[in-house]
Amino acid sequence: MGNESDPLDARLAGRLAELRTEHGWSLEELAQRADVSRSTLSRLERGEISPTAALLGKLCAAYGRPMSRLLAEVEPAPPQLLPASRQPVWRDHETGFTRRSVSPPHPGLRGEVVESVLSPGADIAYEEPPVAGLEHHLWMLDGSLQLTVDGVTHALVPGDCLRYRLWGPSRFVNPGPGDVRYVLLIVLP
């Protein structure tokens, strides 16, 4: 069955054809590298068949990339407009931390924007980053924040911007008296 009814399969077929061209490989060369018949590859790239997980696994191995990356490259484009009502908000009532995903992560994008609010007295420590080398740009909007990154404490006030790559522990402290509000731009390495 062809994949003309499945837009994701159609985009995947197109991306697989692009990858082969980018590598400068003929169908025959890719067939040898991936241990897949030339006719199967041809039909796959034309969108006449949908790939199986095993077939995608062989092609990803030939191209030297994880399947998750390949699939992220063919995800639909993220929505351009994210109304405030559709921005996910998460609250940690125990620590007094509120996090709004202004621009949530998407497989096709490397950055995300987060608005954070810390109640007076909030003290949040992270032992390690979720991804080593994560790039942060923290822009202070309200209050005063003591942010410790890799053992160095920074006292931030409204208007300040702290740019850093996160390699080790970090700690966010609101000494009070009011709320702290900041915007954080996160860029994946």
Side-chain angles (χ1 to χ4, degrees):
M1 176 178 180
N3 57 23
E4 56 277 343
S5 64
D6 186 342
L8 182 62
D9 276 352
R11 287 192 302 274
L12 185 56
R15 182 62 185 135
L16 289 170
E18 288 171 1
L19 278 170
R20 185 175 55 77
T21 301
E22 288 169 11
H23 281 78
W25 296 341
S26 66
L27 277 173
E28 187 61 40
E29 188 173 354
L30 178 57
Q32 290 174 356
R33 290 176 180 267
D35 193 27
V36 175
S37 77
R38 184 184 181 287
S39 63
T40 298
L41 292 173
S42 178
R43 292 182 66 211
L44 178 63
E45 288 183 5
R46 289 193 316 262
E48 294 174 2
I49 61 170
S50 296
T52 64
L55 177 56
L56 277 183
K58 288 181 177 187
L59 292 172
C60 285
Y63 290 124
R65 65 184 26 190
M67 193 180 305
S68 59
R69 180 173 173 199
L70 174 65
L71 294 175
E73 291 172 358
V74 298
E75 284 287 322
Q80 289 185 309
L81 177 63
L82 287 160
S85 62
R86 294 191 48 221
Q87 297 169 4
V89 176
W90 177 77
R91 290 180 177 84
D92 179 350
H93 297 286
E94 186 176 316
T95 62
F97 176 53
T98 301
R99 181 184 197 276
R100 173 186 299 275
S101 289
V102 176
S103 178
H106 186 277
L109 301 173
R110 290 184 43 217
E112 88 180 82
V113 178
V114 175
E115 178 190 30
S116 297
V117 177
L118 295 174
S119 299
D123 185 341
I124 304 170
Y126 300 96
E127 292 182 24
E128 60 185 321
V131 175
L134 201 58
E135 181 179 339
H136 283 187
H137 298 255
L138 188 146
W139 179 37
M140 283 291 296
L141 300 177
D142 296 308
S144 62
L145 176 67
Q146 293 174 358
L147 173 55
T148 304
V149 179
D150 294 330
V152 178
T153 301
H154 305 272
L156 304 170
V157 295
D160 289 351
C161 181
L162 181 64
R163 302 177 297 179
Y164 56 95
R165 286 200 180 271
L166 199 52
W167 296 103
S170 59
R171 184 176 178 196
F172 296 73
V173 177
N174 177 358
D179 285 348
V180 165
R181 189 169 66 98
Y182 58 89
V183 172
L184 186 62
L185 169 64
I186 303 168
V187 182
L188 291 172

